[in-house]
Amino acid sequence: MRNYFIDMYLNRLYGVSGMIINNVIALLIPILVEELKFRGVKSFAVFLSKLICAVIVMNLLCAASYALIGHVAMSQICGGILVTLWLALFSRSKIFTRLICGFSFVATLEIVLVDCFSVFDIMLELGSMNASRGGVELLMIIMLVGFVCFFKVFSTGRLDEVYLISVGLSGGVFGICTVFWVITNVIYVDPVSRLTVGLMLTTLLLGVYYSAYAVSKTIATNNRMRMDKLLRDADANMLGVVERNMEELRQLRHEIDNQYTYMKVLLDGGEYEKLGAYFSEYTERFNTLLSFVDCGNRVVSAVMNLELQKAAGEGITIDHTVSVPKEMSFSDSDICSLLFNILNNAIEYLCRRRDTDRRVQLSVKLVNKTLFVSCANAIEKQDAENARRLVTSKPDAAMHGYGSKVIGAIAERYNGSVKYDAEGEGGRFCVSVMLFEPSENRKKA
């Protein structure tokens, strides 16, 4: 049985490239998958240990491959296995992001090595073997590093959503690159043809990856702009509510002596029914003024006041308990989107079911850097099953149903969870969301 370590490192049967390329591939995988944000010596040491681990695992995979099939295609096969393991075990990205990353990296290994070996074969045919070998090895490393840098700069892992069509395109390019790589290893293809097709596939690979990134980023930007507009509208609405409440409070303060005098006259005259009716009217006016929410957090207060006003216009009452600090480490647009979607879903349902209890219970609390949001409203028996399966009951169903996806995406972004409960026959529909504050402030992200 062939010994990989003796042949590769001691006897150097495959030259310097055999010693370097596989280890470079191993080092690039953690750099590609991990977030390169070091918060101190400890996090940097952990990353270094991952690099060492990647090199060790890569060499073990290469040793097993070498013992079974020899050196042919060892780098591509072992690199593909290692990046798959790394994405499965260490990546926190969504599954679509992992698939695009894996497809793109393995396709890169296949095409870069084919391109570089094609260059080497062309130079070999020109009789410059000794002069070309080191240059081709250097070109291979530069191309691999360049591809990984490209993937990091345009990383889909930073995007809110990656769409299935992007995964399909990346998978298609990966399949084409794999077929071409297999063909070049099974049958003879002249170096010029190999290099020409390889460069075309290299361009296609980069173009498809960037397209996946650009499309997803554009959609994410549009969604963020929509949330920012909603937040601005909420702020403007809150300012208007404050101004109206302040004006009414000034009027009440001006009238208060007259109000007390009139109530005293009614009391002294024993006109208790008129007094009761007048007091009820007076109390309702105060309750309207006191319904304004100012929990200390600008975003939560703005959303709450906008939704309270919307609900009041539909005859819906929102009983709320809000306990959050002035500043939180969640993105403003995420909190805005989360609360808007949760409350809008409840309000819109009660608007369609006018005979249902017109009350919504909302709780927003931050406890030990964990945000708990729960919202409950009455639900009809016939709607309970659809609610449990998150199937919209709106007439234009094709245009709706995104609220639960947005809520789920936000929960996933903060390593949290979403739970839906529905009970028919006078029961309640409740959505409960739990988010964990990130270790570093993401409000500016």
Coordinates of all heavy atoms in Angstrom, one line a residue, residues 26 114 125 133 135 185 227 244 257 335 340 367 378 383:
A26 N -6.6 23.2 2.1 CA -7.1 23.0 3.5 C -7.1 24.3 4.2 O -8.1 24.6 4.9 CB -6.2 22.0 4.2
V114 N -7.5 22.3 -13.4 CA -7.4 21.9 -14.9 C -6.8 23.0 -15.7 O -5.9 22.8 -16.5 CB -8.9 21.7 -15.4 CG1 -8.9 21.6 -16.9 CG2 -9.5 20.4 -14.8
E125 N 5.1 21.2 -23.7 CA 5.2 20.9 -25.1 C 6.1 21.9 -25.8 O 6.7 21.6 -26.8 CB 3.8 21.0 -25.7 CG 2.9 19.8 -25.4 CD 1.5 19.9 -26.1 OE1 1.3 20.9 -26.8 OE2 0.7 18.9 -25.9
R133 N 7.5 25.0 -14.1 CA 6.9 24.2 -13.1 C 6.6 25.1 -11.8 O 5.5 25.2 -11.3 CB 7.8 23.1 -12.6 CG 7.1 22.1 -11.7 CD 7.9 20.9 -11.4 NE 7.2 19.9 -10.6 CZ 6.5 18.9 -11.2 NH1 6.4 18.8 -12.5 NH2 5.8 18.0 -10.5
G135 N 6.4 28.4 -11.7 CA 5.5 29.4 -12.1 C 4.1 28.9 -12.1 O 3.1 29.6 -11.6
N185 N -9.9 13.9 -17.2 CA -9.1 12.8 -16.4 C -9.3 11.5 -17.0 O -8.6 10.5 -16.7 CB -9.5 12.8 -15.0 CG -8.8 13.9 -14.2 OD1 -7.7 13.8 -13.7 ND2 -9.5 15.0 -14.0
M227 N -38.7 48.5 5.1 CA -38.8 48.5 6.6 C -38.4 49.9 7.1 O -39.0 50.4 8.0 CB -37.9 47.5 7.2 CG -38.4 46.0 7.0 SD -40.1 45.8 7.8 CE -41.1 45.7 6.3
R244 N -50.7 65.9 19.2 CA -52.1 66.0 19.4 C -52.4 65.8 20.9 O -53.3 66.5 21.5 CB -52.9 64.9 18.6 CG -52.9 65.2 17.1 CD -54.0 64.4 16.4 NE -53.6 62.9 16.6 CZ -52.8 62.3 15.7 NH1 -52.3 62.9 14.7 NH2 -52.6 61.0 15.9
D257 N -60.5 73.4 35.9 CA -61.3 74.0 37.0 C -62.7 74.0 36.7 O -63.6 73.7 37.6 CB -60.7 75.4 37.2 CG -59.4 75.5 37.8 OD1 -59.0 74.4 38.5 OD2 -58.7 76.5 37.7
I335 N -36.2 44.5 14.2 CA -37.2 44.7 15.3 C -38.5 45.3 14.7 O -39.6 44.9 14.9 CB -36.7 45.6 16.4 CG1 -35.5 44.9 17.1 CG2 -37.8 45.9 17.4 CD1 -35.9 43.5 17.7
F340 N -44.0 44.6 13.2 CA -45.0 44.9 12.2 C -45.7 43.7 11.7 O -46.9 43.6 11.6 CB -44.4 45.7 11.0 CG -44.4 47.2 11.2 CD1 -43.3 48.0 11.0 CD2 -45.6 47.8 11.4 CE1 -43.3 49.3 11.2 CE2 -45.7 49.2 11.5 CZ -44.5 50.0 11.4
V367 N -35.0 39.8 28.5 CA -34.5 39.2 29.8 C -33.1 38.6 29.6 O -33.0 37.7 28.8 CB -35.5 38.2 30.3 CG1 -35.0 37.6 31.6 CG2 -36.9 38.7 30.4
A378 N -57.8 35.9 19.3 CA -58.9 34.9 19.1 C -58.8 34.3 17.7 O -58.4 35.0 16.7 CB -60.2 35.5 19.4
D383 N -60.5 28.1 11.2 CA -59.2 28.7 10.8 C -58.0 28.1 11.5 O -56.9 28.4 11.2 CB -59.2 30.2 11.0 CG -60.3 30.9 10.1 OD1 -60.5 30.4 9.0 OD2 -60.9 31.9 10.6

